[in-house]
């Protein structure tokens, strides 16, 4: 090789070396850029990705607040319980583990095998098991199966007591009904978080578990419910449902001045037909045609508008034709003079319709709304019914009569009671409430939103209505609601139920009824109000027999329980209703004798005050106290009503009258389809 060849080879080697150096330099530069990108610019993302591969976060349920009655008696509490869970990646033999756990957890072995074989690293096997079960699971020492402390909900007062009000929670401690649902945001607190770490092969590291966010316990709720009253209301309601062979029933006891609900019972039948406390709060979720208890709305409106007074009288016939609809009273008595107080006391349908025509459809619609019918009460309970009162524009010419009698409209038991609460509270409607206060985990009271009171009628109107309702109980259809030593104000209501077929009678011609008694006491200073609704009673379906006696029993118990003393002076009141009219044969035809002028179809369903002047006040004939002194309950016990074949109740027409006369419990509602 000559010198020139060696020079060429040397230059080639230098070029090749330089090229290699360039390549290595470029590779080094790329790696440096990539390394800088990973370490300086994208390190957080890759750290987070790595953590996601080995760290999992599990939500921890916070300690749920207690639910207590107004006196601090616990109605619902959370108790620590163990939950059985598994990390399938650590279970050595899923089939063997499932076989061992099935009898302990009382679960299907196939289901357990499926859970233990899942690719997930966290599977709940059984939530909040008993201490005995937890001990047995721990004794098995199964790999990949662990215990976690959670909370379970219990009712120390009894699982069924007040359950329709208190409600329930799901397996994750979230409220799903009742107060548990309505105030879940307060009771539930703020959940915490726990971190679980896994090794490179995916196995959970038990020692790596730690809490990164502690739980914030929920607030305690003090209800307005009185546990003793709630217990007695449910117990007595079950007994009454059995006695009258009813399908279900509802009782509500309230404080008129504050709207606080002291007891709210819902009782129905189980699959075996036994009367049991329900999980559904039918006091607010169920609506029905209330019947004659809504007559108080009509007369409140008449008095408030200055169209009449309790002592004003007018001619009333037992039969009234309004356009194509007939309204009848139970007893055929022809034409008589009835005061407004007598009409309410005897629960006369035709008399009420005549006064409703004086009030007119526009004003009747307004007073139904002002008393809260057709609108939610403001309680805020899940599933609460608003009832149904048709818009005035949709009323027909006869609706003013039907709605005045509580037919063709729907109301919940709570809405009906709010009508009587308003009268008991001097004409002011106070929104109902089930919660007195909420106390946070720090011991501080949590503010709660409250509704505002609404003036419905004047104090004078409420006072006059109270006296009329006292007469209803003392001498009229509500006599079985009396409590010795106290004045009770209230009203009966016996209504036919509209069936799914759209008729009030089934294919065999039978009807179903609801029996209602609503009122307040003591009448001189109302401190409590109550409604009793018995749905579909078979025996003694009239409200005076099915609902009023239970009202009296619970009124007596509540007065004793709350230590409400009777009035200092027992006032003997002169009877106001007088003897019942003598029954007479029905009129020969619609145009026959005995019809009042108001019975003739009117050109307009809403006569103006000018067209229907205020009746001339005429005092109702009353026996003098000397001739017919009112006997005291001790001296003259009230005779037990006995149902006659025609359905009327053979009872004393008025305490202190000279002769017993038949007074119907309720004038029946209009015929089917009317």
């Amino acid at each position: 090789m000559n010198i020139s060849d060696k020079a060429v080879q040397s230059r080639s080697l230098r070029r090749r070396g330089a090229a290699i150096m360039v390549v290595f330099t470029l590779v080094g530069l790329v790696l440096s850029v990539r390394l800088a990108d990973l370490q300086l610019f994208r390190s957080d993302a890759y750290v987070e990705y790595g953590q996601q591969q080995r760290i999992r976060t599990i939500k921890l349920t916070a300690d749920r607040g207690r639910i207590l009655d107004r006196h601090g008696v616990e109605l619902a509490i959370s108790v620590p319980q163990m939950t059985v869970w598994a990390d399938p990646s650590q279970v050595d033999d899923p089939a063997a583990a499932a076989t061992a756990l099935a009898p302990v957890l009382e679960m299907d072995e196939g289901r357990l095998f499926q859970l233990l074989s899942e690719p997930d690293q966290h599977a709940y096997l059984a939530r909040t098991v008993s201490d005995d079960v937890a001990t047995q699971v721990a004794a098995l020492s199964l790999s990949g199966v662990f215990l976690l402390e959670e909370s379970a909900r219990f009712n120390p007062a009894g699982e069924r007591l007040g359950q329709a009000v208190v409600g329930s929670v799901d397996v994750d401690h979230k409220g799903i009904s009742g107060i548990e649902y309505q105030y879940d945001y307060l009771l539930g607190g703020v959940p915490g978080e726990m971190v679980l770490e896994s090794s490179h092969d995916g196995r959970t590291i038990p020692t790596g578990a730690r809490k990164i966010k502690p739980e914030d316990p929920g607030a305690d709720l003090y209800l307005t419910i009185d546990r003793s009253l709630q217990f007695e209301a449910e117990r007595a309601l079950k007994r009454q449902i059995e006695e009258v062979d009813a399908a279900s029933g509802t009782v509500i006891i309230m404080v008129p001045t504050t709207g606080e609900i002291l007891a709210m019972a819902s009782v129905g039948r189980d699959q075996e037909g036994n009367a049991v406390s329900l999980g559904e709060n039918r006091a607010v979720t169920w609506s029905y045609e209330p019947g004659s208890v809504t007559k108080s709305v009509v007369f409140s409106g008449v008095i408030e508008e200055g169209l009449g007074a309790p002592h004003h009288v007018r001619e009333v016939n037992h039969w009234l034709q309004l356009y194509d609809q007939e309204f009848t009273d139970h007893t055929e008595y022809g034409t008589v003079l009835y005061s407004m107080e007598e009409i309410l006391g005897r629960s006369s349908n035709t008399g009420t319709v005549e006064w409703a025509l004086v009030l007119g459809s526009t004003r009747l619609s307004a007073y139904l709304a002002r008393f809260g019918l057709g609108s939610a009460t403001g309680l805020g309970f899940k599933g609460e019914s608003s009832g149904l009162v048709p818009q005035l524009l949709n009323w027909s010419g006869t609706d003013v009569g039907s709605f005045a009698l509580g037919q063709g409209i729907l109301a919940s038991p709570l809405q009906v009671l709010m009508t009587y609460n308003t009268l008991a509270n001097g004409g002011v409607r106070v929104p109902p409430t089930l919660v007195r206060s909420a106390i946070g985990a720090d011991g501080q009271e949590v503010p709660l939103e409250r509704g505002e009171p609404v003036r419905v009628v004047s104090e004078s109107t409420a006072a006059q209505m109270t006296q009329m309702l006292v007469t209803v109980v003392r001498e009229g259809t509500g006599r079985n609601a009396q409590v010795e030593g106290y004045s009770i104000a209230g009203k009966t209501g016996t209504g036919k139920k509209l069936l799914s077929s759209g008729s009030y009678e089934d294919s065999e011609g039978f009807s179903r009824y609801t029996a209602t008694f609503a009122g307040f006491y003591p009448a001189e200073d109302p401190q409590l109000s109550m409604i009793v609704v018995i749905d579909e009673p078979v025996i003694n379906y009239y409200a005076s027999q099915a609902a009023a006696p239970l009202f009296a029993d619970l009124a007596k118990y509540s007065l004793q329980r709350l230590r409400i003393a009777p009035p200092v002076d027992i006032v003997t009141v002169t009877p106001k209703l007088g003897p019942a009219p003598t029954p007479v044969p029905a009129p020969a035809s619609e145009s026959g004798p005995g019809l009042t002028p108001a019975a003739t179809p009117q050109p307009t369903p809403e006569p103006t005050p000018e067209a229907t002047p205020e009746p001339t006040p005429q005092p109702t004939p009353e026996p003098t106290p000397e001739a017919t002194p009112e006997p005291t309950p001790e001296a003259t016990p009230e005779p037990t009503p006995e149902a006659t074949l025609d359905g009327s109740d053979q009872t004393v027409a008025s305490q202190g009258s000279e002769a017993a006369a038949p007074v119907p419990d309720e004038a029946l509602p209009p015929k089917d389809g009317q």
Side-chain angles (χ1 to χ4, degrees), residues 270-501:
D270 61 14
Q271 294 182 348
E272 289 74 32
N274 301 315
V276 297
S277 297
L278 298 175
E280 178 192 358
N281 191 359
R282 287 172 61 85
V284 297
T285 62
W286 174 61
S287 57
Y288 70 113
E289 295 188 11
S292 294
V293 287
T294 58
K295 292 176 180 176
S296 295
V297 175
V298 177
F299 293 114
S300 295
V302 169
I303 296 173
E304 183 73 7
E305 295 294 325
L307 302 174
H311 64 278
H312 287 169
V313 299
R314 60 186 302 124
E315 286 188 346
V316 177
N317 190 279
H318 66 267
W319 179 84
L320 185 152
Q321 182 80 25
L322 183 61
Y323 297 101
D324 60 345
Q325 183 168 337
E326 289 183 1
F327 294 94
T328 62
D329 282 349
H330 193 279
T331 303
E332 297 178 354
Y333 52 79
T335 301
V336 296
L337 287 176
Y338 272 166
S339 69
M340 185 189 299
E341 192 163 19
E342 286 181 297
I343 290 172
L344 185 63
R346 300 183 190 280
S347 199
S348 167
N349 281 345
T350 55
T352 302
V353 172
E354 290 196 16
W355 278 111
L357 290 172
V358 173
L359 182 63
S361 57
T362 300
R363 285 178 292 212
L364 177 58
S365 174
Y367 278 98
L368 289 170
R370 289 169 66 174
F371 274 99
L373 299 176
S375 302
T377 64
L379 186 64
F381 205 87
K382 181 182 181 182
E384 179 179 358
S385 171
S386 297
L388 176 64
V389 177
Q391 295 292 322
L392 180 60
L393 292 176
N394 298 323
W395 287 28
S396 69
T398 61
D399 282 344
V400 65
S402 298
F403 297 168
L405 304 181
Q407 296 292 317
I409 63 174
L410 297 176
S412 69
L414 180 58
Q415 287 176 316
V416 176
L417 180 56
M418 291 304 296
T419 297
Y420 288 82
N421 265 15
T422 299
L423 298 176
N425 194 37
V428 176
R429 175 163 53 89
V430 179
T433 180
L434 279 165
V435 179
R436 295 190 79 183
S437 62
I439 307 300
D442 57 359
Q444 299 297 315
E445 185 170 352
V446 180
L448 297 174
E449 185 176 349
R450 305 288 189 188
E452 294 296 327
V454 177
R455 167 67 67 180
V456 177
V457 294
S458 67
E459 189 172 351
S460 173
T461 296
Q464 293 178 73
M465 283 300 305
T466 297
Q467 290 305 311
M468 292 172 64
L469 293 170
V470 168
T471 300
V472 172
V473 176
R474 185 170 285 146
E475 307 174 47
T477 61
R479 289 187 297 272
N480 286 335
Q482 295 181 88
V483 176
E484 183 178 350
Y486 295 85
S487 293
I488 307 295
K491 182 70 183 73
T492 52
T494 304
K496 285 186 178 181
K497 292 187 65 175
L498 185 65
L499 306 181
S500 57
S501 61

